[in-house]
């Protein structure tokens, strides 16, 4: 399942992440779901992308 907007994201992601990081999560998830075809793996990839961006921008607590 692809996420067309941040409103489609799971509640946990919407409440835990800022709008910017939701955008990153959604883009990474949608890309990974095409690549791997597994929601669980796509979720891990998306969280990893958010974490990597947060470290780059100095927001380690994300």
């Amino acid at each position: 399942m692809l996420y067309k907007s941040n409103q489609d994201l799971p509640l946990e992601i919407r409440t835990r992440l800022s709008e910017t990081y939701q955008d990153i999560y959604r883009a990474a998830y949608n890309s990974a779901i095409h690549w791997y075809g597994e929601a669980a793996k796509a979720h891990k990839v998306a969280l990893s992308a958010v974490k990597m961006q947060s470290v780059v921008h100095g927001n380690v607590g994300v």
Side-chain angles (χ1 to χ4, degrees):
M1 171 175 116
L2 296 177
Y3 295 119
K4 294 180 181 178
S5 74
N6 291 350
Q7 291 294 11
D8 297 333
L9 295 172
L11 181 61
E12 175 188 354
I13 298 301
R14 289 193 325 252
T15 57
R16 189 172 138 195
L17 301 177
S18 70
E19 192 75 23
T20 300
Y21 287 117
Q22 288 177 40
D23 291 339
I24 294 166
Y25 177 94
R26 184 168 45 88
Y29 180 94
N30 288 346
S31 178
I33 199 74
H34 279 299
W35 187 259
Y36 298 111
E38 291 179 38
K41 193 171 240 184
H43 174 70
K44 288 180 183 180
V45 167
L47 287 179
S48 178
V50 167
K51 185 175 182 179
M52 287 175 59
Q53 281 296 314
S54 71
V55 169
V56 167
H57 293 287
N59 299 326
V60 181
V62 172

